[in-house]
């Protein structure tokens, strides 16, 4: 399968090139040239399949031409060493819990898949050159990618994160690992980190010296596998007799997660409509209202993994609907919430249902409370475990919550990071030497 750039000004590339390059040479994002519609028989029987079985079928649609079937099945099953259960929170509102992986956030799925696919491709072309993965994180990406790639031969990971803007629990998940993982603490915002990474990919001198790739959600190997759990969520709802008129609500930052859902929909998944739930970073919300896309500096919020002022995957959303605002707005509605609204939703939901939301999932829950219509089934993506934001969550709901053991393990390690300014020349110097 070939992958084209959303800017359409460079030739199409192979899967391995798209995965290693991350970003197209014209700064566009790669898209698969074909999005296969899965047959009716698959959906008729889907409620009898496990997440892993569903994922193998969906993965074939994208990667089946480029990865041997046995290897692909292994990559998928090894990636999904955990489940993504759908849980009823209250009447008509369900949570798709994506936090049962090793770093307790949905990004484990894409990061684990990408590490394994990259390893497969490196094994095929035994040039013996180290692949350097650069990843900017506003919190959860860094931990998912670092853990997904930890100890993988032939790969070195650099995690760039904004100093003082990620929670201590998030930070220890990528600064205490050692081995092939280097944490870089940037004196700036997440957008600065993202800019440093993008500039590195476009720097000729740097690329002549070392093999660089990205593990941000712009990478097709990270973003496409996120389609797996949309199918599984539908299967679970269908098994509960709630497979009709499903509205899927995605707490969104860089819009990789929701784009994977839109792709699942294009593959025939019967979802009625989508909601993109935003925090105070309301760029997409404003786009839906006005048809104009005006990136802004990101604003720091309680839901910090969604603090994005210029969502990378917006280009893919546009591409999927040929740039037509009215079509995009007919499939996706938007919401934007202040920190006070997020906190209130967390508190009320806990008091009324006993369900503990994290600040990101809370945006999804609240959006459904506001926009779900009679007869619809609402599903929001609970994108991280609340314990990842322990102090915030406990402060809001007024009750202690349990920290899962695998999270406690990270907190025992010693923090190691490299201090960096937000100036590209400093970052380049560091990598060159
Ligand atoms: C990354 C992240 C998001 C945003 O996902 P995008 O794919 O960037 O839209 C939402 N919630 C959590 C917990 C995250 O880590």
């Amino acid at each position: 399968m070939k992958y084209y750039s959303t800017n359409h000004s460079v030739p199409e590339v192979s899967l391995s090139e798209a995965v290693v390059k991350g970003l197209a040479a014209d700064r566009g994002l790669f898209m698969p040239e074909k999005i296969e519609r899965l047959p009716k028989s698959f959906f008729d029987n889907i409620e009898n399949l496990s997440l892993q079985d569903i994922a193998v079928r969906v993965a074939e649609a994208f990667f089946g031409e480029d990865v041997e079937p046995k290897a692909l099945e292994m990559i998928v099953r090894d990636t999904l060493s955990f489940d993504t259960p759908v849980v009823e929170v209250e009447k008509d509102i369900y949570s798709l819990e994506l936090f049962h992986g090793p770093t307790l956030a949905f990004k484990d799925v894409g990061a684990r898949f990408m590490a394994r696919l990259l390893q497969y491709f490196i094994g095929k072309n035994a040039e013996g050159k180290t692949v350097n993965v650069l990843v900017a994180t506003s919190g959860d990406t860094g931990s998912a990618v670092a853990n997904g790639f930890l100890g993988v031969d032939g790969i070195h990971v650099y995690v760039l994160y904004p100093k003082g803007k990620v929670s201590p629990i998030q930070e220890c998940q990528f600064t205490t690992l050692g081995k092939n993982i280097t944490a870089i603490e940037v004196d700036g915002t997440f957008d600065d980190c993202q800019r440093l990474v993008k500039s590195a990919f476009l720097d000729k001198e740097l690329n002549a010296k070392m093999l660089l790739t990205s593990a941000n959600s712009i990478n097709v190997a990270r973003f496409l596998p996120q389609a797996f759990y949309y199918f599984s969520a539908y299967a679970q709802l269908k098994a509960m007799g709630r497979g009709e008129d499903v509205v899927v609500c995605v707490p969104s930052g860089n819009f990789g997660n929701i784009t994977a859902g839109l792709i699942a929909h294009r593959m025939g998944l019967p979802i009625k409509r989508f909601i993109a739930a935003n925090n105070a970073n309301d760029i997409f919300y404003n786009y839906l209202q006005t048809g104009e896309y005006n990136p802004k500096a990101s604003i720091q919020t309680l839901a910090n993994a969604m603090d994005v002022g210029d969502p990378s995957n917006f280009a893919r959303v546009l591409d999927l609907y040929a740039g037509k605002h009215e079509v995009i707005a007919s499939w996706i509605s938007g919401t934007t919430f202040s920190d006070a609204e997020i906190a209130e939703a967390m508190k009320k939901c806990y008091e009324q249902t006993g369900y503990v939301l994290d600040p990101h999932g809370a945006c999804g829950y609240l959006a459904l409370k506001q926009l779900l219509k009679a007869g619809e089934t609402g599903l929001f993506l609970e994108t991280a475990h609340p314990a990842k934001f322990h102090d915030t969550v406990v402060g809001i709901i007024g009750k202690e919550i349990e920290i899962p053991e695998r999270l406690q393990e990270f907190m025992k390690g010693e923090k190691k990071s490299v201090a960096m300014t937000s100036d590209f020349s400093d970052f380049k110097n560091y990598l060159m030497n």
Side-chain angles (χ1 to χ4, degrees), residues 105-107 140-141 217 226 251-258 305-306 358 360 383-384 389:
F106 79 87
K107 292 187 176 78
D140 282 342
T141 302
S217 58
Q226 293 169 356
S252 294
N254 255 326
F255 280 71
N257 208 5
I258 195 169
M306 292 155 53
D358 94 291
H360 307 79
T383 47
F389 311 92

Side-chain angles (χ1 to χ4, degrees), residues 325-360:
H325 171 258
E326 63 285 5
V327 182
I328 294 173
S330 74
W331 284 111
I332 313 171
S333 35
T335 54
T336 169
F337 299 119
S338 66
D339 277 358
E341 289 171 309
I342 294 171
E344 191 186 77
M346 290 165 70
K347 191 163 169 25
K348 275 206 177 143
C349 179
Y350 177 66
E351 284 168 2
Q352 289 166 7
T353 71
Y355 195 81
V356 181
L357 295 162
D358 94 291
H360 307 79

